[in-house]
Amino acid sequence: MIELGSLIRVCRQGDLPVYIQIVEQISTLIREGVLCPGVQIQPSRELARSLKLHRNTVVAAYEELEAQGWILVKPRKGCFVSPRMPGTVPAPLAQPGQAREAGYPVSTGYDIGYEMREELQVKYPSGAFKYVFNEGFPDVRLTPLNELLREYRVIGKRKFARDYLSYTAKEGSPRLRGEVVRMLRQTRGLNIGIEHVFISKGAQMGMYLAASLLLKPGDSVIVGDPGFFVVTQMFIRLGVNVCRVPVDGEGIDVDAVEAICRSTPVRLIYVIPHHHHPTTVTLSALRRLRLLELAKTYRIAIIEDDFDFDIHYESHPTLPMASRDANGSVIYVGTLTKILAPAIRLGFIVAPANLIALLGQHRYVVDLQGDNLLEEAAAELLRNGAVERHLNRIRNLYKERRDLLCAMLAERLPGIVSFTVPTGGMCLWVRFNGVDTAGVALEAQRRGLFIRDGKRHNPPGADLNAMCIGFASLGLEELREAATLLIDATLHTISANVQIVQLNRQIV
């Protein structure tokens, strides 16, 4: 058993709560290999006595460590270091021995123009239904709101606090951009500097600004089909020609992309590499490399929408195309909104420095600047590890919720539904067999469950008869009840359809 008392130091007058200080120090000891997997650590009572703390403080620290996945608590046996370290360790995109040019591209590999149109907004009902199955939102009840508000208070006490209320850099808070650089270097292998990062109010705003700079009416854009309908509508509103290509089990069909590029001058390709919306499939490493080659050959820009890179459960996420882009083709888009809460509008764009500068100028005529106070507070949450701790916690919780939903659908609706268990993300793509999703959604709403019928994801002239079911925003018991309502609605719809068919036969 490892004695922790001599390895931990707490400061009762520090900004961080004492239990968080303990969490940070124990997780650091595990990360650095001082505490090895499987090693038993001393009970909370003993550590509390050693540190001269109330036992509840240490219990809270151990509960947080367990929730994040750093330790395992075995009843009547004790606390042990988890055999698997939490966190996201990306798998390399390139094969061993394949080198790339050092640094990030100096300039884009494509021409830049601009056009500006109206944004699209999507809303979900509230209050009218007992449960809502959205299409992949985080659970806002888990948002580290106290930590965020604490950082607002800290900022307010600084002598130069009023500076944050004035105009600032159009590209976003330099401090947040620096923290995003550090995060992306560590987690995504991006060899970038602050000049390559632009902070937007959510990923959607960032993509709109970039697309409206690059595209003019009549240009051709390639998207996956089915795909993220919001972005597709954005392209349509920009007046461009949307070229749809199929999405299969390995992501967007690159052969189809290449065929279009050979016959049509393509300006931009939009891809979602991880947990493609709505199908949740992941773009394979081989296809990512081929897309980079196509972008270089045909001088095409790629918007790589990696909105939930960090929400991964089963395996290691593949590094982004941006980590292998030596030609300045990729505009890499990410967000903190999906991690924290929909209302916390924080997205980021990584691109060559000349495009970042133009994005700042373009944004100036739309929004002047971002939310400087929020960006400064978010920078501190990234710096002090609050975002990482939150990520470790929600990965475990969301995985439990995914597993529950998949198990219930497989057990109660065998042969009626089919799906692939997603390796990450916050939603499940479910195909229905022998029952129309429109009828299921309508019956579910009668029972107090709101769910979209999935028809807006259909390709032109086709009906996938599938629903995108978000599981992350409901607790286990809520999810169990909501899934039961959906299952009952499905079975009722099938039964009603059978009765109608029998009645029609009797009439005939």
Side-chain angles (χ1 to χ4, degrees), residues 99-176:
R100 60 151 290 181
E101 291 82 351
Y104 204 78
V106 176
S107 62
T108 58
Y110 41 82
D111 298 329
I112 297 174
Y114 71 92
E115 177 67 29
M116 201 158 39
R117 300 280 178 92
E118 186 178 359
E119 272 191 68
L120 177 68
Q121 295 183 358
V122 178
K123 295 182 180 179
Y124 275 83
S126 59
F129 298 92
K130 185 176 182 181
Y131 297 112
V132 173
F133 266 137
N134 54 56
E135 295 189 346
F137 297 170
D139 189 341
V140 296
R141 295 167 297 187
L142 303 174
T143 302
L145 189 57
N146 289 334
E147 288 89 339
L148 180 63
L149 294 177
R150 182 188 66 228
E151 297 308 327
Y152 271 103
R153 290 193 293 270
V154 170
I155 291 171
K157 293 178 181 178
R158 293 173 182 166
K159 293 181 179 179
F160 48 90
R162 293 185 182 274
D163 293 345
Y164 296 122
L165 301 178
S166 187
Y167 292 110
T168 185
K170 300 180 291 295
E171 298 81 9
S173 157
R175 190 157 173 261
L176 178 57

Side-chain angles (χ1 to χ4, degrees), residues 132-139 141 280 311 313 394-395 397-406 421-429 468-476 478-479:
V132 173
F133 266 137
N134 54 56
E135 295 189 346
F137 297 170
D139 189 341
R141 295 167 297 187
T280 74
I311 310 297
Y313 309 129
I394 63 175
R395 281 194 199 103
L397 293 174
Y398 292 173
K399 182 178 183 296
E400 289 180 350
R401 298 171 186 184
R402 178 206 65 177
D403 292 345
L404 174 62
L405 178 61
C406 291
V421 179
T423 59
M426 293 179 279
C427 62
L428 183 67
W429 180 242
C468 185
I469 306 175
F471 52 78
S473 59
L474 296 174
L476 287 179
E478 295 169 330
L479 184 60

Side-chain angles (χ1 to χ4, degrees), residues 267-332:
R267 183 77 165 166
L268 185 147
I269 303 171
Y270 171 73
V271 293
I272 306 175
H274 285 106
H275 325 130
H276 171 82
H277 190 83
T279 66
T280 74
V281 300
T282 293
L283 185 63
S284 68
L286 180 60
R287 291 191 181 185
R288 296 180 193 219
L289 294 173
R290 284 191 60 196
L291 280 175
L292 286 174
E293 285 301 315
L294 290 174
K296 178 180 179 180
T297 301
Y298 294 99
R299 293 179 61 82
I300 300 171
I302 297 175
I303 290 184
E304 184 176 15
D305 183 2
D306 215 1
F307 70 97
D308 65 351
F309 175 93
D310 297 291
I311 310 297
H312 224 78
Y313 309 129
E314 304 298 339
S315 58
H316 303 310
T318 305
L319 284 175
M321 286 181 287
S323 70
R324 287 283 298 167
D325 178 26
N327 192 54
S329 300
V330 177
I331 301 166
Y332 183 76

Side-chain angles (χ1 to χ4, degrees), residues 38-74:
V39 167
Q40 184 176 7
I41 60 177
Q42 66 190 123
S44 59
R45 192 182 304 277
E46 293 182 18
L47 181 57
R49 187 182 304 115
S50 176
L51 297 177
K52 298 181 181 179
L53 299 171
H54 194 285
R55 187 190 173 207
N56 288 347
T57 302
V58 180
V59 168
Y62 278 19
E63 289 176 349
E64 182 66 19
L65 286 165
E66 183 183 23
Q68 293 186 27
W70 292 107
I71 66 172
L72 298 176
V73 178
K74 301 180 181 180

Side-chain angles (χ1 to χ4, degrees), residues 394-467:
I394 63 175
R395 281 194 199 103
N396 291 333
L397 293 174
Y398 292 173
K399 182 178 183 296
E400 289 180 350
R401 298 171 186 184
R402 178 206 65 177
D403 292 345
L404 174 62
L405 178 61
C406 291
M408 290 186 67
L409 293 178
E411 179 183 354
R412 296 283 307 280
L413 298 175
I416 300 173
V417 299
S418 58
F419 57 85
T420 299
V421 179
T423 59
M426 293 179 279
C427 62
L428 183 67
W429 180 242
V430 181
R431 290 180 177 268
F432 286 72
N433 307 309
V435 56
D436 185 49
T437 55
V440 173
L442 185 59
E443 180 60 30
Q445 291 176 24
R446 291 195 185 107
R447 295 167 181 260
L449 168 68
F450 179 85
I451 185 169
R452 296 192 184 277
D453 60 16
K455 303 300 183 184
R456 61 183 178 178
H457 299 298
N458 287 336
D463 188 356
L464 300 175
N465 203 44
M467 289 179 172

